[in-house]
Amino acid sequence: MSIPEPRRVVITGVGVICPLGNNPVELQSALQAGKSGVGPIESLPAGALPIRNGAEAQAFTGSIDDYGPLEKGLQRAIRKGQKVMCREIEMGVAAAQLALSDAALDENSRDRDRTGVVYGSDYIMTLPEEFAAGIQRCIDAEGRFDFSRWAELGLPQVNPLWLLKYLPNMPASHIAIYNDLRGPNNSLTLREASPCAALAEAYSTISRGHADVLVVGSTGSRVHPFRALHASMQEPLAPDRDDPTAMSRPFDADREGAVLGEGAAAMILETREHATARGAKILGEVVGYGSSTVASQADPRHLQRALANVMRSAIAGTSPQEIGHINAHGVGTREGDAQEAAAIGEVFGDPQAAPPVVAPKSYFGNLGAGGGMVEVVASLLSLESGQLFDPLNYDAPDPECPVRMADAKTPAGDQFVSTNVTPQGQATAIRIARYR
């Protein structure tokens, strides 16, 4: 039996919701201008957290206009659905609708049974307001919470549909329902590793012939009452500075930790045959990926090993010299950046001969599961323009992070590798090339 050749998978549209704007033009303009998205957090109560600054997607208000051009019927459906969407899900759905519009992939140019959705997210946390009224009803005369009252007095105060607002499979569900996409549908919850995992799953699904088109995206927020508290207790966060834009400092000797952010992005992946048949503009081609998990108990250098594993997998079949640039995870922590730099050296050798490195988190911090997809879009736009962008706050190169940082004069090359890793050691990478 003959085995058919894998189908080529191309990118034909993108959508972005992030601290630098709600479309690719705004994102690229901010990167080229060196404009940071970090500033005072407006959506969280002052004094509740050890930091006052982060990177909010302030241009995203939840207005139906944020979802791009929509037919009236779709506008009504999304407005109705917003009642059961938290902000992360709203951003994810909006990014997908923007990508569909950017790709001109309307219902007349797709087979609904061969078009699906793959979406990544964090585990999405409930807002405390969902339970406030119920808890208040269970306070006894001494001002203490009495759990024995919960079933009778507290639970009836909770919206019966509250869980639908926070399930991590809901972005993919909403996108498929609104657009009548009946093909493969999958949701991946791998924290920061989710975006490249979603792209890899979509690439594999299309390559093996199970779909012609997939809407692929990820959404996340660390600007959230519970998420921000968890991060402040479990991870090194950059302390406030007089100039908030100086807080996120990937690979810099003066880096102190990650910056909280929020955002989402999506892409349209389809077979080359499908894209060319409908006359779509092809923005790039997915040509490799990698996935690995290395637990800290297995190796004290678990982040280095996991990242080296995924980069090797992503560049398999090509020489390291053909990689135009590396879009690094670059979260800004002491240990994380040092291990990532070591992984790059392990795979690509001498830093001065290795591909140049970009660190978009210097502009908008850690967007959780949304970050990696926004970062891939940034590199994809750089392939198109031919030039990369300056790193922010890279003032003093750290000898512990021997990487060759790119700047606005550095050519983007013909292909790039983008990597992400969680603190637990789940790593993913994707390799995308200029379409030829």
Side-chain angles (χ1 to χ4, degrees):
M1 184 180 78
S2 63
I3 300 175
E5 287 289 322
R7 301 192 299 172
R8 292 175 66 178
V9 180
V10 298
I11 303 164
T12 57
V14 297
V16 176
I17 302 291
C18 77
L20 300 182
N22 284 358
N23 62 65
V25 172
E26 292 176 345
L27 170 61
Q28 188 173 35
S29 296
L31 293 172
Q32 293 296 330
K35 177 184 175 183
S36 173
V38 181
I41 296 175
E42 298 180 1
S43 61
L44 298 180
L49 298 169
I51 49 92
R52 302 186 310 276
N53 298 292
E56 294 175 292
Q58 293 183 348
F60 183 77
T61 64
S63 163
I64 197 65
D65 294 336
D66 293 340
Y67 291 73
L70 304 171
E71 295 182 356
K72 293 296 183 182
L74 187 52
Q75 283 189 353
R76 288 193 296 270
I78 291 177
R79 279 201 186 101
K80 184 177 180 181
Q82 284 179 307
K83 298 175 183 177
V84 287
M85 293 188 211
C86 67
R87 182 170 173 82
E88 283 171 73
I89 294 175
E90 284 189 281
M91 290 192 298
V93 174
Q97 295 302 148
L98 291 167
L100 284 164
S101 176
D102 186 53
L105 189 70
D106 58 27
E107 60 184 9
N108 298 316
S109 60
R110 64 185 185 240
D111 178 349
R112 63 188 181 186
D113 294 319
R114 300 280 301 169
T115 306
V117 187
V118 181
Y119 239 74
S121 74
D122 296 298
Y123 59 93
I124 301 176
M125 303 188 75
T126 301
L127 287 171
E129 292 90 329
E130 300 285 354
F131 302 112
I135 290 172
Q136 191 64 39
R137 293 291 297 273
C138 298
I139 302 298
D140 62 21
E142 284 74 39
R144 295 172 299 188
F145 175 73
D146 182 356
F147 185 72
S148 66
R149 300 183 182 185
W150 179 253
E152 180 183 1
L153 301 177
L155 191 57
Q157 302 300 313
V158 179
N159 184 335
L161 301 178
W162 72 268
L163 189 57
L164 294 179
K165 296 172 68 174
Y166 303 99
L167 290 172
N169 66 309
M170 292 311 293
S173 298
H174 284 298
I175 294 160
I177 291 169
Y178 294 144
N179 298 283
D180 194 20
L181 308 181
R182 305 181 184 182
N185 192 291
N186 205 349
S187 300
L188 305 175
T189 310
L190 298 171
R191 283 193 55 161
E192 292 92 340
S194 301
C196 291
L199 285 165
E201 175 64 18
Y203 171 78
S204 298
T205 301
I206 294 174
S207 294
R208 60 179 178 257
H210 290 182
D212 296 326
V213 184
L214 288 171
V215 181
V216 191
S218 62
T219 182
S221 178
R222 293 161 67 82
V223 184
H224 179 289
F226 289 150
R227 173 70 70 185
L229 280 173
H230 282 198
S232 68
M233 294 186 291
Q234 298 171 353
E235 305 169 31
L237 295 183
D240 288 316
R241 296 189 180 217
D242 292 338
D243 178 7
T245 67
M247 289 170 59
S248 189
R249 315 182 67 83
F251 302 110
D252 184 74
D254 196 26
R255 68 190 183 280
E256 299 179 272
V259 171
L260 303 178
E262 62 175 359
M267 297 183 182
I268 306 302
L269 267 57
E270 52 188 302
T271 66
R272 180 182 63 165
E273 293 77 12
H274 190 277
T276 55
R278 68 182 188 86
K281 178 183 179 181
I282 296 177
L283 307 175
E285 181 176 2
V286 181
V287 290
Y289 66 89
S291 177
S292 176
T293 298
V294 180
S296 59
Q297 296 89 335
D299 190 335
R301 304 284 293 180
H302 68 298
L303 302 180
Q304 176 182 341
R305 178 177 290 188
L307 285 165
N309 287 344
V310 299
M311 284 188 281
R312 286 195 186 96
S313 294
I315 68 172
T318 190
S319 67
Q321 291 74 29
E322 292 183 43
I323 305 303
H325 70 275
I326 300 168
N327 193 317
H329 182 65
V331 74
T333 62
R334 302 296 307 178
E335 187 65 22
D337 287 5
Q339 289 200 37
E340 182 169 18
I344 293 171
E346 182 180 330
V347 175
F348 291 96
D350 179 4
Q352 296 310 309
V357 172
V358 295
K361 287 186 180 68
S362 63
Y363 285 77
F364 46 66
N366 186 357
L367 312 184
M373 196 67 72
V374 175
E375 291 159 13
V376 170
V377 171
S379 277
L380 186 64
L381 296 172
S382 293
L383 281 191
E384 188 174 24
S385 70
Q387 297 299 125
L388 295 172
F389 45 88
D390 290 327
L392 291 185
N393 308 315
Y394 188 64
D395 302 325
D398 187 350
E400 293 185 0
C401 300
V403 295
R404 181 162 68 99
M405 294 296 287
D407 59 31
K409 298 179 181 178
T410 306
D414 290 328
Q415 54 183 308
F416 67 89
V417 172
S418 186
T419 63
N420 288 111
V421 65
T422 72
Q424 291 74 31
Q426 299 162 295
T428 52
I430 201 78
R431 178 162 62 98
I432 293 175
R434 189 190 305 276
Y435 175 71
R436 298 193 184 282

